Amino acid sequence: MSGADRPRPVPAGSAALRQHATLFSNRGTAAGEARPSALHSVAPKATRRRRAKVGLKYRRQRPIGREADFAGGQRDVETRRAMRSKGTRAAIIRSRGHCGFSAGMCDKWIHRAMQSSLKKVDIARLRKGMFIHKICGKWLDHPFWRGSFLIADEKTLEKLRSFGCREVWIDTGKGLDVESAPPGPASRVDSQDGGVVRKRKAPAGLPAEARTDFASEVVRAELIRDRAKAAVISLFGEARMGKALNMDGAVDVVDEISRSITRNVAAILSVLRLKEKDDYTYLHSVAVCALMMALGRQLGIEGEALQDLGLAGLFHDIGKIGVPDAVLNKPGRLDEEEFAAVRKHPQLGWDILRNQLEVSPTVLDVCLHHHERCDATGYPHKLSGDALTRAARMGAICDVYDAVTSERCYKKGWEPADAIRRMAEWQDGHFDRDIFHAFVKMIGIYPVGTLVRLNSGRLAIVLNQSEKSSLKPTVKVFYSTRFDTHVPAGLLDLADASDAIVGVEDHAKWNFNIPMLMRN
């Protein structure tokens, strides 16, 4: 084909473009037939190839400006502007020029633009029910540990409006659109600084979970444990592969454990304490998550800060994926080289988590410093005093308690009451005294699941802590040592009874099935 026969790229919107479109629409049309429009013509295959070659050559001569877009990768600037102004199919083609692009390619661009559910809106236009896809600016500059979330209550909305961001991206496919959002309270813009002035509202809380008895909640707690274990295995696997962590899945685990704690804290903690040594690596993370949130509640922490503590517990040992399994599961004592490898896991975990956009500073802090001690004998940085945050001190206590009460490949777990006693002996050097006392009040001097001997000669299992005294929990009596036989099981609140605990028994010596006795 000669150069005169080839279609030439022409400027968008010119008379030459209309003439060019007419030329293509006339090709392949028999006499007397209706001529298709330039926008709907179907050219022969050879012609389409020639157009593509011409278009490629033209694009090399004059690159088309593009910019990044969240809704589908790279998209032409003029195309998106045309769509925002409710442009038609023809407007998009005019905005791009002919440039050798086929009508089918333009259809593809139109479809992607029309399917996009992302929208950039001013912070003042946000309403409850919208889904935040991305907050404009650096993630460290805003107080949210997740980059995308639903505006579920007025508290979240107030926080969004107060920290200084002007624009956010919303996803109308997951939440309300600007036009469809219910009318919110009126707000006025200060003409001097452009800030939004609003009346402060009381936060809308979620409905409270109803308290349940131990036997009912322990069944639900076992299901939560299994789901949480699967989620942690998946998260650790993603970290090993260098993939982004599924933070939404982690949040679901934390929220589920939090609800179980609200219903009956004793049930979930007792279920998570009883674990096989082969499951330790993953269930230890779940147990520390539950302990951190239970201790946080004891200290009066709530809301997003409490959720951060749960996530911190869930991820505190993620750095162990960088420690060889032969070292972690070694039945004997570790040598210096092996112990040095283990001591690297806080830093390894911090390196993994710091690259995740939705991880809060609390999670990073606990991951890096849960092995620090108040007397500066810990690792990796030998911090002490005010250099340790409250969250890191909480993490140290929860991590040690679950570790010493769990059966490991190299040791047998301590009884909970014995663990509390020994940790109390270490508290002046290892732990924060005030936080440890709060932990003991939460977990009890006789923790749930402890087998105790009463003054009457009967054996009982601790089921719940008493508000009146840590020494007088609610127990389940089931055995008489005087007659060496089982007795009808019954609950006994020692705070209101004449009987009292005189000692702790080793359940292995008696060969009792403690989990079964606690459930029935």
Side-chain angles (χ1 to χ4, degrees):
M1 176 184 286
S2 65
D5 294 329
R6 290 184 180 172
R8 295 185 178 87
V10 292
S14 66
L17 171 61
R18 293 191 291 273
Q19 208 170 14
H20 202 60
T22 304
L23 172 63
F24 281 119
S25 65
N26 284 332
R27 291 186 179 181
T29 305
E33 291 182 350
R35 186 189 318 173
S37 69
L39 299 179
H40 296 280
S41 61
V42 179
K45 188 173 183 180
T47 304
R48 293 200 301 273
R49 287 177 178 171
R50 288 193 298 272
R51 292 181 190 175
K53 290 180 180 179
V54 172
L56 178 61
K57 179 180 179 182
Y58 184 72
R59 291 196 300 277
R60 286 173 177 169
Q61 293 172 351
R62 185 177 68 86
I64 299 173
R66 294 175 181 268
E67 65 179 8
D69 186 279
F70 295 118
Q74 299 288 336
R75 184 171 300 142
D76 185 75
V77 180
E78 289 79 17
T79 301
R80 287 170 33 249
R81 286 175 180 168
M83 289 304 300
R84 283 200 293 267
S85 62
K86 302 185 183 298
T88 61
R89 184 175 186 275
I92 290 180
I93 293 179
R94 287 197 301 270
S95 72
R96 298 191 63 88
H98 186 68
C99 299
F101 292 103
S102 67
M105 293 175 69
C106 289
D107 281 335
K108 184 177 180 180
W109 296 324
I110 295 170
H111 176 74
R112 289 172 66 185
M114 294 299 290
Q115 292 297 316
S116 172
S117 59
L118 302 181
K119 184 180 295 185
K120 195 173 187 179
V121 299
D122 188 89
I123 203 79
R125 302 182 70 189
L126 294 180
R127 296 290 184 270
K128 181 180 174 182
M130 289 182 173
F131 188 89
I132 302 298
H133 176 76
K134 184 176 180 65
I135 299 174
C136 297
K138 298 179 180 179
W139 75 274
L140 286 173
D141 294 338
H142 65 73
F144 299 95
W145 54 270
R146 284 185 291 176
S148 57
F149 52 89
L150 180 70
I151 304 179
D153 49 44
E154 295 295 337
K155 182 179 180 180
T156 304
L157 189 59
E158 287 292 329
K159 189 180 291 187
L160 275 166
R161 290 171 171 170
S162 63
F163 77 87
C165 179
R166 294 297 180 88
E167 291 179 316
V168 297
W169 287 88
I170 65 170
D171 190 339
T172 58
K174 297 181 180 179
L176 296 178
D177 199 349
V178 176
E179 291 79 14
S180 61
S187 60
R188 65 180 179 85
V189 178
D190 193 318
S191 59
Q192 294 181 356
D193 58 7
V196 180
V197 181
R198 292 164 301 278
K199 183 179 179 181
R200 183 176 294 276
K201 304 176 185 63
L206 295 175
E209 291 280 344
R211 290 278 301 172
T212 59
D213 62 89
F214 184 92
S216 299
E217 184 57 31
V218 78
V219 177
R220 300 170 72 175
E222 288 173 345
L223 296 175
I224 293 172
R225 175 199 61 197
D226 295 340
R227 288 196 292 268
K229 175 187 170 183
V232 172
I233 291 174
S234 176
L235 288 165
F236 278 40
E238 290 166 356
R240 285 191 182 95
M241 298 295 291
K243 297 180 179 179
L245 301 180
N246 179 13
M247 295 304 297
D248 288 339
V251 171
D252 290 341
V253 169
V254 170
D255 288 346
E256 204 166 12
I257 292 174
S258 179
R259 289 192 292 270
S260 180
I261 290 173
T262 302
R263 292 190 296 265
N264 193 306
V265 63
I268 186 69
L269 293 183
S270 63
V271 164
L272 291 175
R273 186 180 67 81
L274 301 171
K275 47 185 170 288
E276 300 293 333
K277 58 184 178 182
D278 294 336
D279 294 333
Y280 174 79
T281 299
Y282 304 110
L283 285 182
H284 173 65
S285 297
V286 181
V288 174
C289 167
L291 288 169
M292 289 283 281
M293 285 194 289
L295 178 56
R297 287 171 182 263
Q298 183 69 35
L299 293 170
I301 301 171
E302 57 184 17
E304 193 171 338
L306 185 66
Q307 197 172 56
D308 279 348
L309 291 176
L311 287 169
L314 204 64
F315 287 112
H316 80 286
D317 264 351
I318 196 169
K320 285 187 175 178
I321 66 169
V323 181
D325 290 339
V327 175
L328 292 176
N329 300 322
K330 183 178 177 179
R333 187 179 182 88
L334 299 180
D335 59 32
E336 281 300 320
E337 184 178 351
E338 291 167 334
F339 192 51
V342 171
R343 281 196 256 191
K344 292 179 181 178
H345 82 269
Q347 184 66 54
L348 292 173
W350 187 84
D351 290 338
I352 292 170
L353 294 175
R354 68 170 179 164
N355 294 320
Q356 304 295 321
L357 296 181
E358 301 176 6
V359 173
S360 73
T362 298
V363 178
L364 289 169
D365 178 43
V366 173
C367 178
L368 186 60
H369 296 134
H370 66 276
H371 281 292
E372 300 285 0
R373 299 290 178 258
C374 289
D375 59 1
T377 60
Y379 62 88
H381 299 134
K382 297 187 180 299
L383 301 181
S384 65
D386 294 338
L388 289 171
T389 65
R390 180 169 69 165
R393 300 178 192 207
M394 293 170 64
I397 294 171
C398 296
D399 176 64
V400 168
Y401 175 78
D402 187 71
V404 299
T405 56
S406 299
E407 184 177 356
R408 310 286 293 277
C409 58
Y410 54 85
K411 76 168 188 68
K412 183 181 177 182
W414 297 346
E415 287 296 321
D418 192 28
I420 291 294
R421 179 183 60 80
R422 296 196 193 187
M423 289 175 68
E425 296 172 357
W426 306 335
Q427 64 176 308
D428 288 336
H430 282 52
F431 310 124
D432 180 285
R433 178 182 290 272
D434 293 336
I435 295 177
F436 180 73
H437 288 175
F439 182 82
V440 172
K441 187 174 182 180
M442 179 270 295
I443 208 76
I445 293 176
Y446 302 107
V448 172
T450 302
L451 181 64
V452 295
R453 179 188 291 265
L454 303 181
N455 191 44
S456 60
R458 294 178 294 178
L459 298 183
I461 303 171
V462 177
L463 289 186
N464 283 302
Q465 301 303 318
S466 172
E467 295 291 337
K468 298 178 181 178
S469 172
S470 298
L471 296 172
K472 299 180 178 181
T474 298
V475 299
K476 184 177 186 179
V477 179
F478 68 95
Y479 193 85
S480 172
T481 59
R482 292 179 180 177
F483 298 100
D484 197 19
T485 185
H486 284 269
V487 297
L491 295 180
L492 180 64
D493 186 353
L494 295 178
D496 298 324
S498 57
D499 217 342
I501 296 174
V502 294
V504 176
E505 295 286 323
D506 183 359
H507 66 83
K509 169 187 171 183
W510 292 92
N511 198 27
F512 292 138
N513 188 336
I514 299 297
M516 186 64 67
L517 288 169
M518 293 174 68
R519 180 184 297 186
N520 296 333

